[in-house]
Amino acid sequence: QVQLAESGGGSVQAGGSLTVSCVGSGDSLMNRRVAWFRQAPGKERAGIAAIWGVSARTDYVGSVVGRFTISRDVAKNTVHLQMNSLKPEDTAMYFCATEKRFTGGDWTNEHIYGYWGQGTQVTVSS
């Protein structure tokens, strides 16, 4: 059983930066593919970034490329999402997730993830 807990959300003006973090317990996140999703009001939850286990390969959706960076801290068993040049459309609840067992499936597909955090709110004002 893996538990995930997000932190670091908050309010920021457009153009600003924020880092959200996902700390894991119950297993090492360094051996797992961990993804960040976000859900804006009235919209479906969407994957935005992922970091793979052993290889540390990173993937991003187009809307965040060049602005967001996913990374991990081995010592703290934590995955970070650094967000720069934030826009009002980045406003959402941000969740981290990891699979119960690695499937190799499409990382943007929320249905392959069996462990989720409770989410942290990010609000970007114009």
Side-chain angles (χ1 to χ4, degrees):
Q1 190 78 5
V2 176
Q3 292 81 41
L4 302 174
E6 301 93 339
S7 64
S11 297
V12 64
Q13 289 191 326
S17 299
L18 207 60
T19 298
V20 290
S21 301
C22 172
V23 61
S25 59
D27 193 18
S28 172
L29 296 185
M30 307 305 115
N31 299 323
R32 293 177 163 275
R33 182 166 58 171
V34 178
W36 280 98
F37 283 74
R38 65 186 181 187
Q39 186 169 23
K43 295 188 177 181
E44 295 184 352
R45 190 158 54 181
I48 55 173
I51 187 165
W52 294 56
V54 176
S55 68
R57 160 186 158 178
T58 57
D59 289 295
Y60 301 92
V61 293
S63 61
V64 307
V65 168
R67 300 190 301 124
F68 290 13
T69 302
I70 189 170
S71 64
R72 58 192 189 186
D73 184 329
V74 176
K76 296 181 179 180
N77 202 31
T78 299
V79 174
H80 302 289
L81 183 68
Q82 180 180 350
M83 303 180 290
N84 299 324
S85 302
L86 282 162
K87 305 175 182 179
E89 50 264 44
D90 294 318
T91 294
M93 185 72 79
Y94 284 69
F95 301 89
C96 61
T98 191
E99 298 163 90
K100 288 188 175 181
R101 183 179 303 172
F102 180 72
T103 64
D106 179 1
W107 66 269
T108 64
N109 180 0
E110 64 175 317
H111 299 293
I112 70 172
Y113 297 95
Y115 299 115
W116 292 85
Q118 80 289 349
T120 186
Q121 178 67 36
V122 172
T123 302
V124 184
S125 57
S126 57

